[in-house]
Amino acid sequence: MDVNQVLECTLSPDTSTRQNAEQQLTHAAEIDFSGYLTTLAHELANEQAQPHIRTAAGIALKNAFSSREYARLREVQERWINQIDTNVKNSVKGLALQTLGSRDGRAGQSAGQFIASIAAIEIPRNEWPELMAALVENVGQGGEHLKQASLTTIGYICETDDAQLRESLAGYSNQILTAVVQGARKEEENMEVRNAAITALSDCLDFIRSNFDNEGERNYIMQVVCEATQSGDVRIEAGAYGCLNRIMGLYYDKMSFYMEKALYGLTIIGMKNEEEDVGKLAVEFWCTVCEEEIAIEDDNQMAHAEGSGEMRQYYHFAKTAAVEVVPALMQLMTRQDEDAADEDYNVSRAAYQCLQLFAQAVGSDIVPTVLGFVEANLADPDWHKRDAAVSAFGAIMEGPKEAHLEPLVKQALPLLMEKLRDEAVQVRDSAAYAIGRISDQLPEAIDPQTELPALIEALFGGLSSNPKMAGSCCWALMNLADKFAGEPGCQQNALSPHFQGSVTALLQVTEKPDVDNQLRMAAYEVLNTFITNAANDCLPIVAKLSDVIIERLENTIPMQHQVVSVEDRLTLEEIQTSLTSGVLNIIQRLEGEIKPQADRIMNILLQMLSSAGQKSSVPDAIFAAVGGLANALEEDFLKYMDSFVPFLYNALGNQDEPGLCSMAIGLVSDITRSLSEKSQPYCDSFMNYLLNNLRVSVSKYQFLTRINFQQSTSLSNQFKPAILQCFGDIAQAIGPYFETYLSVVATVLQQAANVNPGSDAYDLYDYVTSLREGIMDAWSGIILAMKQGKAQLLTPYVESIFQLLSIVAQDHHRSEPLARSAMGVIGDLADAFPHGDYINYYRNEWIHQLIKEVRQNRDFTSRTVETARWAREQVKRQTANFQGVQMS
């Protein structure tokens, strides 16, 4: 292999050439990993090599120790630990450190990334202890290139998310801080070095808490950062404000002195900086202040409610600064860029976001200042000022007291509707968004008799006037539909008088052939929201609407033959997805009344599945619609199974598209619940696919290989709980017939129950909680199935069920779904064995304590509390009726 040629090909714009080169590198690494690393390291360090070849070598070295999947990452790291000789390791690391001093900055940067990859492996293992000392020495005594590359390397090492590495880096905080502060000082004349140091300082702030606790060291750090905000270099100033953001988020409790002495003034200056990057980060500093203080206030209120004396220090920075910062923010909101795309984040949008946060942090005190700005600018000839005035009013709808805002909103609504006809589309768009904020946060201020009709009419007028307003108008209309829907299943609601007109208007907008596709999709989204919130008196309109939506969906089939570009295909898929979602909403609203349309719906859905291309998003929407139809038709859905089930099997087995596979797993639950025992002929295949997705090898349900629930090589861990829950749904659907699968599923559940996140694996905690929820749901369904004459088949598994219940009882941070499922299993088991077979388990104090904790938890819903009460009654029957019975 000519390494130079292969490396050059990895940078080729031609996909085939690039992929072939990457495959050659992968093959070389598999054959001789030590030789592979050595060759690349020499090429990276070779000052005679072309710069792009050195960069490619560095990228290949970094990629040798990188992976998006946790399991794969650990695997490649183990190769370094176990397969590489110490001499080779030292040689490769030495060459990488040598490259940091290269005049080729890109080679030095690539070397830094590779060094960080190795550091992530070795530092937690207490290896390579000399690395940080070497980097510090480079910064103190090296040339400019070496200083910059070494500081960049420190930044790469410190930006890690790896919990073990983060913990280990705290032990190097003094060395890290020595290097980055030395490079960040105003005495450093090289701006490239100083910029690299400020970036590294931002990355290492998590690990220097012990230094920040020391007043002298903290003062020096803050001095260096504050001086950097005045460096004259845009990158350094922006980086310094970014550091201040992180410092405020991490060390709020130590910021009072610095706010008073410097930060109030510095950040105001920064906000007014003409450079967007600097101004945005200065604004974001105050976003961080507000977010911290909102969180502190919430925490303190919760602590007070719980009778705790542990209150967090609250300095009211936002309230103190509001008189200066809020006017500055509103001035920044006048710096809109009329050519900015929706996704562009500029200083004007940062200021709007910050004003929203100030309203939440400061409350009603902010209202007079904002109203003064609104009144002064609402009629200004400059559209920038009119737009800022409208936006500012909408920004304060959350935070101030409703009693304070409601009369102001009533006064403002006519003006906002007038601004929906402003000559500037930006002002019209902001007015629609402000109305959306009002309808979302303060719907009580909108009179359904007098103001709602005018708002709906004005928003539909805006929706038709310009595609740039589509998103805001549609969001406002959806909020109105949600807020004025009334109670579920109500006969009439505030939308009823406007329902037919709204549907007609939306159908007109969406049927225009030349309509902007963004507008069409937004209008369909509004239509779906109106359907979902339709009162019973509007159901005849919904039924008629079904004909229109189904017909439009049918008309998309011939359009598939007219697709000539990727853009055409994406547009068609968006239309089909929106229409299919509309069908689903109609099904869910009409429920069993959809039956006359069922044949037509399934026919078009099957046609679309047959013609859907790979990686298409349409099948996801189709599966959701099929699930809705199955729920509506129940056992009558059976006649569609033979036509549909091949698509379902393909999706269950398609592990390359985990999103679709996840939808299919949920659809199995929907179908089996709907068909009940009639789903039995399909359950063998369902179970095989589900078990395969858990990486199970089975033969006639007799042989089971161990499943690794701790990690996944294909499907994400998030799908495993859903599969376990699906087992429970299948069991409950087919009842005693689930005996065929009981042994293998019980073994799977026992294996899953053994997964423990560990004391420091916070990233696994949510997954394990979801896994336990799935296990409990599965056992609940299985117990209900076996209770029908085959309860004794559960005997071998009862002990393991109670072991898991005991683990749940010890987890005081258990989720509500897990608590509710546990209550269900406790009660179901007691009901399945009414003769006291397992009374000794039910006599355990932890059982009674667990039920009590769930029953008395004020944060849980009534459904969960009622389930706990039912479980308590079942346990009472066991212990009261069979006092003398011993556990069999």
Side-chain angles (χ1 to χ4, degrees):
M1 179 181 75
D2 184 341
V3 66
N4 283 342
Q5 183 178 356
V6 174
L7 288 172
E8 183 154 7
C9 288
T10 63
L11 303 174
S12 171
D14 180 71
T15 303
S16 177
T17 301
R18 188 173 63 253
Q19 289 178 345
N20 182 55
E22 290 169 352
Q23 289 172 0
Q24 289 186 63
L25 289 177
T26 301
H27 181 65
E30 290 173 352
I31 293 176
D32 180 9
F33 194 44
S34 293
Y36 175 77
L37 295 178
T38 301
T39 300
L40 291 177
H42 277 287
E43 205 60 42
L44 174 65
N46 184 2
E47 292 291 340
Q48 307 307 314
Q50 297 181 54
H52 67 281
I53 297 295
R54 300 180 72 184
T55 300
I59 292 172
L61 281 168
K62 177 182 72 71
N63 290 344
F65 298 96
S66 304
S67 178
R68 294 179 180 177
E69 293 185 7
Y70 180 81
R72 174 61 181 164
L73 177 62
R74 288 304 184 209
E75 181 181 318
V76 297
Q77 290 178 339
E78 287 295 325
R79 291 174 71 183
W80 172 265
I81 295 169
N82 298 320
Q83 297 181 19
I84 307 301
D85 179 77
T86 300
N87 292 330
V88 174
K89 289 180 181 179
N90 291 336
S91 172
V92 168
K93 291 188 293 187
L95 289 167
L97 285 170
Q98 173 187 323
T99 308
L100 292 178
S102 173
R103 291 186 172 276
D104 181 353
R106 289 183 301 174
Q109 184 177 14
S110 296
Q113 291 175 321
F114 172 55
I115 290 168
S117 298
I118 301 303
I121 304 171
E122 296 201 340
I123 288 179
R125 295 168 57 86
N126 296 317
E127 298 174 355
W128 210 0
E130 67 275 14
L131 171 62
M132 286 300 175
L135 294 174
V136 172
E137 184 177 350
N138 290 347
V139 175
Q141 302 179 15
E144 292 180 352
H145 289 93
L146 183 57
K147 282 184 179 181
Q148 181 185 349
S150 297
L151 287 164
T152 300
T153 302
I154 291 173
Y156 288 147
I157 295 171
C158 291
E159 67 182 4
T160 179
D161 290 327
D162 185 277
Q164 289 182 319
L165 178 55
R166 291 168 70 89
E167 183 178 345
S168 300
L169 286 173
Y172 293 93
S173 64
N174 288 332
Q175 291 175 299
I176 293 171
L177 201 56
T178 298
V180 297
V181 170
Q182 182 170 344
R185 294 177 307 160
K186 65 180 180 181
E187 288 79 11
E188 176 57 62
E189 297 179 356
N190 187 301
M191 292 295 104
E192 299 298 330
V193 172
R194 197 175 178 191
N195 181 50
I198 284 291
T199 302
L201 177 57
S202 179
D203 289 328
C204 77
L205 286 168
D206 280 346
F207 317 119
I208 60 171
R209 183 167 294 276
S210 61
N211 305 87
F212 229 82
D213 286 340
N214 182 293
E215 183 179 358
E217 293 186 53
R218 183 170 69 246
N219 287 342
Y220 189 51
I221 295 169
M222 293 300 297
Q223 177 185 334
V224 168
V225 176
C226 289
E227 289 172 347
T229 65
Q230 308 301 303
S231 68
D233 185 293
V234 172
R235 299 167 305 161
I236 295 171
E237 290 181 5
Y241 281 113
C243 276
L244 291 176
N245 291 350
R246 295 209 65 201
I247 289 170
M248 178 58 73
L250 291 166
Y251 305 109
Y252 172 93
D253 59 313
K254 295 180 171 58
M255 287 295 104
S256 181
F257 173 78
Y258 308 104
M259 290 294 287
E260 180 181 345
K261 295 297 183 182
L263 298 185
Y264 282 119
L266 279 179
T267 51
I268 293 289
I269 293 172
M271 289 164 62
K272 295 177 180 179
N273 195 304
E274 290 299 318
E275 293 290 343
E276 282 265 323
D277 289 341
V278 177
K280 281 190 297 186
L281 284 160
V283 170
E284 287 177 11
F285 172 82
W286 285 105
C287 290
T288 303
V289 170
C290 291
E291 287 168 346
E292 280 298 306
E293 297 198 329
I294 292 167
I296 290 169
E297 192 166 16
D298 288 344
D299 290 346
N300 288 348
Q301 288 177 354
M302 184 177 297
H304 179 73
E306 295 173 352
S308 171
E310 296 181 5
M311 308 291 277
R312 294 179 61 187
Q313 187 70 50
Y314 187 11
Y315 292 115
H316 299 278
F317 293 144
K319 189 172 184 177
T320 302
V323 66
E324 290 188 67
V325 176
V326 169
L329 290 172
M330 291 187 290
Q331 287 301 320
L332 289 176
M333 288 169 60
T334 67
R335 286 170 53 179
Q336 309 94 322
D337 178 1
E338 61 183 313
D339 298 322
D342 289 342
E343 65 274 10
D344 290 347
Y345 182 66
N346 52 37
V347 72
S348 173
R349 289 174 179 169
Y352 174 81
Q353 176 187 349
C354 192
L355 183 60
Q356 284 184 310
L357 290 167
F358 257 95
Q360 296 172 47
V362 175
S364 296
D365 290 348
I366 201 175
V367 174
T369 304
V370 173
L371 282 184
F373 178 83
V374 172
E375 292 168 356
N377 293 279
L378 194 60
D380 196 279
D382 184 349
W383 73 262
H384 295 83
K385 294 183 179 180
R386 297 197 306 275
D387 180 68
V390 170
S391 298
F393 186 78
I396 63 171
M397 287 301 104
E398 182 180 3
K401 294 179 180 179
E402 292 182 5
H404 198 161
L405 288 177
E406 190 166 331
L408 300 176
V409 168
K410 287 189 173 296
Q411 294 176 37
L413 281 174
L415 295 173
L416 290 173
M417 285 189 279
E418 179 184 324
K419 291 303 175 187
L420 285 172
R421 298 188 296 273
D422 193 278
E423 62 184 27
V425 67
Q426 292 87 354
V427 178
R428 301 202 298 272
D429 183 43
S430 294
Y433 195 81
I435 292 171
R437 290 273 296 169
I438 291 169
S439 56
D440 183 38
Q441 297 294 332
L442 208 67
E444 299 83 4
I446 302 172
D447 186 284
Q449 303 301 321
T450 59
E451 292 160 338
L452 180 62
L455 280 174
I456 291 176
E457 181 181 356
L459 289 168
F460 272 118
L463 180 63
S464 303
S465 68
N466 195 303
K468 289 184 177 180
M469 296 177 60
S472 298
C473 287
C474 288
W475 182 62
L477 285 165
M478 287 189 292
N479 286 340
L480 289 173
D482 286 334
K483 300 299 181 180
F484 289 93
E487 293 296 322
C490 61
Q491 182 59 32
Q492 188 177 29
N493 60 27
L495 298 174
S496 294
H498 319 291
F499 190 82
Q500 179 67 71
S502 299
V503 167
T504 301
L506 290 164
L507 290 176
Q508 289 173 349
V509 169
T510 53
E511 72 178 348
K512 296 177 182 178
D514 59 342
V515 70
D516 178 84
N517 195 54
Q518 180 183 1
L519 172 56
R520 180 189 286 115
M521 295 305 101
Y524 273 130
E525 194 172 358
V526 177
L527 180 61
N528 289 335
T529 305
F530 269 78
I531 294 169
T532 299
N533 293 298
N536 290 343
D537 64 342
C538 295
L539 292 185
I541 302 173
V542 175
K544 290 181 181 178
L545 178 62
S546 66
D547 281 321
V548 178
I549 299 299
I550 295 169
E551 182 180 355
R552 290 190 179 186
L553 202 50
E554 290 169 340
N555 291 338
T556 65
I557 298 299
M559 294 169 63
Q560 292 174 336
H561 304 295
Q562 302 169 16
V563 170
V564 295
S565 67
V566 173
E567 185 178 354
D568 288 345
R569 178 178 61 80
L570 293 175
T571 298
L572 179 59
E573 287 184 359
E574 286 178 343
I575 294 172
Q576 289 182 324
T577 298
S578 294
L579 289 168
T580 304
S581 297
V583 169
L584 170 60
N585 287 314
I586 291 171
I587 292 169
Q588 291 174 332
R589 198 64 198 86
L590 295 179
E591 297 178 328
E593 298 300 316
I594 196 65
K595 188 173 181 180
Q597 295 277 33
D599 286 356
R600 192 177 172 195
I601 291 172
M602 277 304 295
N603 182 54
I604 185 61
L605 294 180
L606 290 169
Q607 286 187 62
M608 290 165 61
L609 280 174
S610 299
S611 57
Q614 290 186 346
K615 307 298 182 182
S616 169
S617 60
V618 178
D620 289 27
I622 295 173
F623 275 26
V626 171
L629 192 62
N631 290 331
L633 299 180
E634 296 181 335
E635 293 186 355
D636 289 336
F637 185 79
L638 181 64
K639 67 176 182 178
Y640 306 115
M641 281 297 289
D642 288 343
S643 300
F644 173 69
V645 81
F647 297 105
L648 181 55
Y649 291 156
N650 287 339
L652 285 170
N654 188 356
Q655 298 177 4
D656 293 330
E657 294 189 55
L660 183 62
C661 189
S662 175
M663 289 288 297
I665 292 165
L667 189 50
V668 170
S669 290
D670 289 336
I671 288 174
T672 52
R673 282 196 302 263
S674 299
L675 296 181
S676 298
E677 291 186 1
K678 292 183 179 179
S679 65
Q680 187 191 350
Y682 306 97
C683 285
D684 277 2
S685 296
F686 288 158
M687 292 298 298
N688 271 321
Y689 279 110
L690 293 172
L691 290 166
N692 182 60
N693 284 337
L694 289 174
R695 284 295 177 260
V696 179
S697 300
V698 294
S699 177
K700 295 183 181 180
Y701 308 107
Q702 299 298 315
F703 175 71
L704 171 68
T705 61
R706 185 166 185 82
I707 308 163
N708 190 344
F709 279 96
Q710 198 74 32
Q711 59 190 29
S712 175
T713 56
S714 54
L715 289 183
S716 171
N717 279 345
Q718 63 179 309
F719 303 135
K720 292 177 179 176
I723 292 173
L724 301 185
Q725 186 179 39
C726 191
F727 290 153
D729 291 327
I730 293 173
Q732 197 165 348
I734 65 177
Y737 296 108
F738 194 78
E739 177 186 354
T740 307
Y741 318 112
L742 177 59
S743 176
V744 65
V745 171
T747 305
V748 168
L749 298 178
Q750 288 172 327
Q751 290 181 12
N754 290 329
V755 177
N756 193 314
S759 58
D760 57 349
Y762 301 109
D763 54 334
L764 275 177
Y765 183 81
D766 288 342
Y767 162 64
V768 172
T769 297
S770 298
L771 197 65
R772 289 172 181 170
E773 290 170 9
I775 298 166
M776 287 297 179
D777 287 337
W779 276 125
S780 183
I782 292 169
I783 293 166
L784 290 173
M786 296 298 104
K787 190 169 66 173
Q788 304 173 43
K790 296 192 176 183
Q792 292 305 317
L793 294 176
L794 295 170
T795 299
Y797 316 113
V798 170
E799 182 177 358
S800 64
I801 294 173
F802 276 97
Q803 286 174 350
L804 180 57
L805 286 169
S806 176
I807 293 172
V808 173
Q810 296 171 44
D811 180 7
H812 297 293
H813 300 287
R814 69 186 80 91
S815 66
E816 181 176 359
L818 179 56
R820 183 170 59 246
S821 297
M823 295 299 99
V825 169
I826 290 171
D828 289 336
L829 263 181
D831 193 39
F833 295 95
H835 303 300
D837 301 50
Y838 300 106
I839 187 173
N840 281 4
Y841 285 120
Y842 285 103
R843 285 174 174 161
N844 283 313
E845 180 59 30
W846 61 263
I847 285 278
H848 300 275
Q849 184 62 30
L850 174 59
I851 295 173
K852 181 180 178 181
E853 289 176 5
V854 175
R855 185 169 51 86
Q856 295 182 351
N857 191 315
R858 296 180 180 179
D859 294 328
F860 286 173
T861 62
S862 58
R863 177 188 171 195
T864 301
V865 173
E866 287 301 318
T867 305
R869 288 173 179 165
W870 172 78
R872 182 182 61 171
E873 293 304 314
Q874 298 303 315
V875 173
K876 278 184 177 179
R877 291 178 186 177
Q878 288 272 323
T879 55
N881 296 338
F882 303 99
Q883 291 293 333
V885 179
Q886 297 296 314
M887 184 181 66
S888 58

